[in-house]
Amino acid sequence: MTGALTLSVALGSVAANGQTPPAPPAPAGGAAAPGGPPAGAAPRRFTPPPPMRFWTPKKTPYAAYTAPNRPWWKLSDVLAMHKGQKSWSQPIIRNKDIVADWHQIAPGEKTEAVAYSDNRTAIIVWSGEAKVTMEGQEPFIARKGFEINVPYRVPFTLETVGNEPALYFEVHAAADMPLYPVETTTTKPKPANGFVYEERLGTGGRGGFDDKNKPYLDYYKDVVEGGGRPGAFIATQHLFVNNIRGRGTETPPPSNLGHFHVGYDEFWFVMEGNVTLQVEGEKVFTASAGDIITAAQGRWHRASFGGPVGQMGTRVAINPYPEGLHAYTVESGARQ
């Protein structure tokens, strides 16, 4: 390992770091962008900027996994921990940027209406069916593989429909605190995490949806079965939820270190197939669909699609920065 590192800056290439860049905004009035294709022509494939060479800080020693964080949360272990319970929550991710938990709600139950103060909320439904209600949107039924995007300050609820509990994974920016609408929460909420609730007026309005932010993605129907292109589902301040899909390959050699992140942890939800993860300081392992895998801050890591060669797999990369920096060895050429 050398002292100088080659970095993939800005968004990097999908092949190199798994980041799918948000498409550049189209010019107003249908005009051609400077240096771009003529108006009306198909957009050119994004070409990442070349990597730059820096002396790059690497957290030493690298960050430890402190509870509840683990390199590998097997879904089977989570379910075993809550065997016999119809409704429960299990903390999975706790870091300075993001918190994430598994939740299950029993048939006929409904979550309390809640909004989050300053950032979007991401939800992945894994089993059962849930009726999702967001203020200002038509309710919809989410089932396995649905990815849900809740804007900031938009109250929402999930309600189990049918006879099977609804199991889902929910992700928030760590700095966010839940807000309870006084219309539906008529009594003062209890203090939580050092905060006391008081009735106040909140400004700033609600977040919404646009061409890049949709209420949901039915991943299995639209991508796995429908042939849609995977990519960034949420790419906004403090939250990046990015679908990366590919075919199973032979596990690269240990000498292929992958990359590390200077200032943040990264984790993945295994949506489809298998993912093999090599993380500095840990044994290489292959996770299955429904598992959560994590690379702590400053650790070299390399995710690849495991399982039988040719089998399709999807990992949903989750971190706080859509344009996060990836640091590679000079010898790698900023690829893994």
Side-chain angles (χ1 to χ4, degrees), residues 168-188:
Y168 60 96
F169 187 66
E170 187 167 321
V171 183
H172 302 280
D176 271 357
M177 291 293 295
L179 310 173
Y180 299 94
V182 295
E183 296 83 2
T184 53
T185 302
T186 56
T187 59
K188 181 178 178 179

Side-chain angles (χ1 to χ4, degrees), residues 2-52:
T2 62
L5 297 172
T6 299
L7 304 183
S8 173
V9 295
L11 290 170
S13 67
V14 174
N17 58 40
Q19 305 269 89
T20 301
R44 292 190 305 222
R45 184 176 179 84
F46 175 81
T47 301
M52 297 188 294

Side-chain angles (χ1 to χ4, degrees), residues 94-310:
R94 291 291 183 277
N95 61 52
K96 64 183 180 61
D97 299 299
I98 290 176
V99 299
D101 304 311
W102 275 112
H103 300 279
Q104 181 170 288
I105 49 178
E109 292 193 358
K110 180 180 181 179
T111 63
E112 189 172 12
V114 64
Y116 282 85
S117 52
D118 299 301
N119 298 281
R120 292 180 180 271
T121 295
I123 298 171
I124 299 176
V125 176
W126 195 242
S127 65
E129 292 188 336
K131 179 182 178 182
V132 182
T133 302
M134 299 185 210
E135 190 169 293
Q137 298 292 316
E138 285 294 322
F140 58 90
I141 303 298
R143 58 191 66 85
K144 183 174 181 176
F146 264 63
E147 299 178 12
I148 301 167
N149 178 351
V150 184
Y152 53 84
R153 296 191 284 277
V154 170
F156 69 97
T157 62
L158 276 74
E159 180 180 4
T160 299
V161 296
N163 298 320
E164 182 183 354
L167 177 65
Y168 60 96
F169 187 66
E170 187 167 321
V171 183
H172 302 280
D176 271 357
M177 291 293 295
L179 310 173
Y180 299 94
V182 295
E183 296 83 2
T184 53
T185 302
T186 56
T187 59
K188 181 178 178 179
K190 296 179 180 179
N193 301 321
F195 288 81
V196 175
Y197 280 89
E198 299 174 343
E199 185 174 348
R200 293 289 184 263
L201 298 177
T203 63
R206 296 182 172 89
F209 298 104
D210 52 32
D211 290 343
K212 295 180 182 179
N213 286 283
K214 305 296 184 182
Y216 65 86
L217 169 67
D218 185 346
Y219 191 82
Y220 286 116
K221 177 183 177 182
D222 298 338
V223 178
V224 176
E225 299 173 8
R229 184 178 178 181
F233 176 62
I234 299 176
T236 188
Q237 63 173 0
H238 304 147
L239 187 59
F240 187 41
V241 179
N242 186 30
N243 295 293
I244 305 168
R245 192 166 193 246
R247 295 188 180 277
T249 60
E250 295 289 344
T251 302
S255 58
N256 182 338
L257 299 177
H259 60 266
F260 67 84
H261 303 296
V262 173
Y264 60 92
D265 295 1
E266 182 172 30
F267 64 98
W268 300 264
F269 184 104
V270 184
M271 178 70 81
E272 174 193 18
N274 302 95
V275 174
T276 298
L277 185 65
Q278 175 177 294
V279 179
E280 184 179 8
E282 304 291 332
K283 293 182 179 179
V284 176
F285 60 86
T286 298
S288 301
D291 293 351
I292 312 296
I293 57 180
T294 302
Q297 177 188 0
R299 296 198 188 209
W300 290 102
H301 60 274
R302 185 203 66 231
S304 60
F305 293 110
V309 172

